[in-house]
């Protein structure tokens, strides 16, 4: 390992080139992970089948995925190592490299709204929608007090119901109806349980007041009152690489973003790249990635046309500036975030103390990930960076082990043929015998 620079904060120069054991030696020496959490992160003391059996039904095992750390992140002035669980090569390397570029201008700035979720109640069979809407709004304070009684613990820490909204759906396949929104501050929880309990609790009152029938009672994953935003500046001079000039890279990134901003086919892929980073941290911290995905894509279509979640442009000095805004319903208490030992260790590793802080880190990783993809796409293309890691996976599939993985991968990249049949052929030529299972 080349360790000219000393590791500090989230900078661990040379980490990528270390072996697994050496990486751990470094983390231990630098005291970056507590002794108790080592096994939780390596997997040795992570989720047991017994714990899993209490989480879902019909458990017959657990399913490991790679967990890596993204380096170089500075979010709101704080250095942190970001755990990411992801099966796709290049994601962690991409995020880490972009975080390195961003830290030259102070890293990522991020902010979040209050952690307010929306619970929905569909009210059917109402004779007079306008009248029912008026009556429900007149009873707003009573409804809020009823919902508030459900969770005294949440109330005590400053959460609880905040507001009632009543929306009219004028035309649907079954005609018109009302939708009541209960706005609920869930503090450090993801909030699904609190919100679902609350909407079920107030539904009978809604029926009495409106004269209608409360049908669905469930939270909305379009959590557009629980928004996270990240911003970054990349100095113009840091954008140049190989034969690419800084202006060319910057303008290429802006042109790529403009494509996503104006075409849903491109926007879907562009946003998928953002979610590569977002989901990886959401999963590492035991949060509900389907909820986050649903919220992100619904938010991307909020204007009626599906578009980019991020924006890219340049400032007065010609630097590249980016931002990302999306709903992020993530928590640090309750559910898998507490039960899964690896998730708890991940939250601890980042030194996260609130759900809002977690969302601020996640949205920053999403922005870094988006930049990594656009920078590659706007210059040499995505395949080049992918090749080395892809070749390693092919080498492993062909049966290579230990140092042969790297040797075989390098040879295939050099030849420009990364295929399992070629990998097997090379192993045979080298007289390689894999160890027996
Ligand atoms: C691949 O997982 C993600 C990208 O397709 C994102 C993008 O196109 O912006 C590279």
């Amino acid at each position: 390992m080349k360790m000219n620079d000393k590791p500090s904060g989230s900078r661990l120069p040379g980490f990528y080139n270390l072996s697994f054991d050496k990486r751990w030696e470094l983390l231990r020496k630098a005291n970056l992970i507590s002794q108790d959490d080592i096994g939780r992160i390596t997997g040795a003391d992570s989720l047991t089948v017994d714990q899993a059996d209490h989480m879902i039904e019909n458990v017959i095992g657990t399913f490991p995925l790679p967990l890596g750390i993204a380096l170089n992140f500075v979010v709101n002035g704080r250095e942190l190592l970001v755990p990411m669980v992801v099966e796709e090569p290049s994601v962690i390397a991409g995020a880490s490299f972009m975080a390195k570029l961003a830290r030259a201008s102070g890293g990522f700035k991020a902010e979040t709204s209050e952690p307010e979720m929306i619970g929905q109640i569909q009210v059917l069979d109402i004779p007079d929608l306008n009248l029912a809407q008026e009556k429900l709004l007149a009873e707003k304070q009573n409804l809020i007090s009823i919902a508030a009684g459900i969770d005294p613990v949440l109330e005590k820490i400053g959460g609880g119901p905040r507001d009632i909204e009543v929306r009219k759906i004028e035309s649907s396949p079954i005609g018109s109806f009302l939708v009541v929104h209960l706005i609920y501050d869930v503090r450090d929880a993801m909030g699904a349980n609190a919100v679902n309990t609350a909407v079920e609790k107030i539904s009978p009152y809604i029926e009495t007041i409106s004269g209608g029938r409360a049908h669905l009672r469930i939270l909305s994953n379009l959590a557009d009152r629980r928004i996270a935003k990240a911003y970054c500046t990349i100095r113009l001079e840091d954008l140049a690489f190989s034969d690419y000039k800084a202006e060319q890279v910057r303008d290429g990134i802006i042109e790529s973003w403009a494509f996503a901003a104006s075409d849903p086919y491109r926007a879907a892929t562009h946003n998928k790249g953002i979610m590569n980073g977002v989901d990886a941290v959401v999963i590492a911290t035991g949060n509900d990635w389907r909820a986050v995905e649903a919220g992100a894509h619904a938010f991307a279509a909020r204007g009626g046309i599906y578009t980019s979640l991020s924006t890219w442009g340049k400032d007065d000095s010609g630097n590249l500036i980016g931002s990302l805004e999306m709903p992020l319903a993530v928590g640090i208490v309750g559910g898998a975030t507490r039960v899964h030992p690896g998730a708890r260790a991940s939250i601890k590793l980042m030194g996260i103390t609130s759900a809002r802080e977690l969302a601020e880190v996640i949205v920053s990783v999403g922005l870094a990930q988006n930049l990594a993809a656009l920078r590659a796409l706007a210059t040499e293309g995505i395949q080049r960076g992918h090749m080395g890691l892809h070749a390693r996976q092919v080498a492993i599939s062909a049966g290579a082990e230990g140092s042969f993985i790297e040797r075989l991968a390098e040879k295939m990249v050099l030849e420009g043929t990364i295929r399992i049949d070629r990998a097997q052929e090379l192993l045979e030529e080298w007289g390689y015998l894999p160890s027996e299972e």
Side-chain angles (χ1 to χ4, degrees):
M1 171 198 185
K2 279 186 260 121
M3 285 288 295
N4 307 332
D5 287 316
K6 280 196 108 195
S8 75
S10 59
R11 289 272 301 130
L12 302 178
F15 195 74
Y16 174 81
N17 290 318
L18 296 179
S19 67
F20 178 83
D21 290 340
K22 291 270 182 226
R23 282 183 199 140
W24 269 105
E25 204 180 298
L26 172 73
L27 292 172
R28 271 200 207 96
K29 266 196 201 145
N31 260 334
L32 288 166
I33 295 183
S34 86
Q35 196 62 28
D36 289 350
D37 288 333
I38 294 175
R40 295 183 186 128
I41 289 180
T42 56
D45 304 323
S46 197
L47 192 71
T48 63
V49 169
D50 219 39
Q51 286 164 324
D53 202 19
H54 292 107
M55 286 172 81
I56 60 161
E57 309 74 38
N58 298 354
V59 167
I60 58 164
T62 56
F63 186 93
L65 281 169
L67 187 160
I69 45 174
L71 309 179
N72 306 324
F73 271 87
V74 177
V75 178
N76 292 336
R78 197 166 75 78
E79 302 253 353
L80 76 165
L81 296 173
V82 185
M84 298 176 78
V85 169
V86 64
E87 86 300 344
E88 185 173 329
S90 304
V91 168
I92 295 181
S96 302
F97 186 36
M98 296 310 121
K100 189 170 163 194
L101 295 188
R103 67 187 282 140
S105 328
F108 297 90
K109 308 271 174 296
E111 62 196 38
T112 41
S113 62
E114 295 295 325
E116 288 179 355
M117 296 294 285
I118 300 167
Q120 296 195 290
I121 303 164
Q122 180 191 26
V123 196
L124 300 171
D125 306 337
I126 295 179
D128 184 337
L129 287 193
N130 290 329
L131 186 63
Q133 185 179 35
E134 245 173 63
K135 284 182 168 175
L136 284 164
L137 289 174
E139 291 292 329
K140 190 187 264 199
Q141 282 317 320
N142 280 339
L143 290 167
I144 290 176
S145 316
I146 295 163
I150 300 168
D151 197 335
V153 179
L154 193 64
E155 286 273 306
K156 219 167 148 188
I157 57 167
R162 294 283 182 261
D163 201 5
I164 295 274
E165 293 170 343
V166 186
R167 296 169 49 224
K168 277 187 282 185
I169 305 285
E170 306 275 10
S171 91
S172 86
I174 54 154
S176 59
F177 54 86
L178 282 188
V179 180
V180 176
H181 279 188
L182 171 66
I183 313 301
Y184 202 103
D185 183 325
V186 297
R187 295 284 96 194
D188 285 326
M190 184 274 181
N193 278 330
V195 173
N196 292 339
T197 309
V199 285
E200 288 191 8
K201 173 79 190 255
I202 64 170
S203 285
Y205 300 91
I206 302 267
E207 289 186 329
T208 311
I209 299 163
S210 67
R213 171 170 62 93
H215 190 46
L216 290 202
R217 296 151 298 163
I218 187 76
L219 96 168
S220 169
N221 285 126
L222 176 48
D224 62 0
R225 308 194 45 141
R226 199 176 187 182
I227 293 292
K229 287 186 202 168
Y231 310 86
C232 70
T233 300
I234 311 293
R235 295 186 315 199
L236 182 62
E237 64 266 33
D238 292 336
L239 286 166
F241 72 100
S242 311
D243 292 336
Y244 298 100
K245 296 207 165 42
E247 286 81 3
Q248 188 187 356
V249 177
R250 178 198 62 201
D251 296 345
I253 290 169
I254 299 170
E255 286 158 1
S256 313
W257 160 74
F259 184 6
S262 39
D263 174 29
Y265 286 92
R266 172 57 204 153
T269 326
H270 175 98
N271 291 342
K272 190 272 182 183
I274 292 171
M275 300 313 284
N276 276 345
V278 168
D279 284 346
V281 189
V282 171
I283 296 172
T285 54
N287 275 289
D288 181 346
W289 71 94
R290 287 87 56 214
V292 171
E293 281 279 341
H297 297 294
F299 190 70
R302 67 195 181 285
I305 297 174
Y306 186 89
T307 187
S308 164
L309 287 165
S310 64
T311 62
W312 290 97
K314 57 182 177 184
D315 67 13
D316 293 342
S317 316
N319 300 313
L320 178 71
I321 48 172
S323 71
L324 171 62
E325 178 178 6
M326 61 183 290
L328 262 171
V330 289
I332 59 163
V333 296
T337 51
R338 270 293 153 89
V339 177
H340 196 297
R344 268 187 288 138
S346 288
I347 291 169
K348 211 164 125 198
L349 169 67
M350 290 187 280
I352 295 281
T353 56
S354 74
R356 288 179 68 170
E357 201 186 344
L358 175 58
E360 285 160 9
V361 171
I362 294 174
V363 73
S364 301
V365 175
L367 185 58
Q369 208 69 60
N370 184 220
L371 178 58
L374 297 189
R375 177 181 172 277
L377 287 167
T379 54
E380 57 193 13
I382 210 76
Q383 282 312 92
R384 194 163 178 273
H386 270 277
M387 279 310 160
L389 286 159
H390 173 56
R392 278 199 226 168
Q393 283 180 346
V394 171
I396 294 167
S397 311
E401 287 170 8
S403 62
F404 273 88
I405 300 174
E406 214 47 55
R407 186 176 158 197
L408 185 54
E410 270 172 25
K411 175 85 177 145
M412 286 192 291
V413 171
L414 214 67
E415 286 184 347
T417 312
I418 302 171
R419 285 203 323 261
I420 188 144
D421 56 331
R422 180 61 188 145
Q424 281 160 344
E425 212 170 83
L426 283 166
L427 287 177
E428 244 177 70
E429 274 174 28
W430 296 341
Y432 174 75
L433 293 174
S435 65
E436 291 199 23
E437 291 259 302

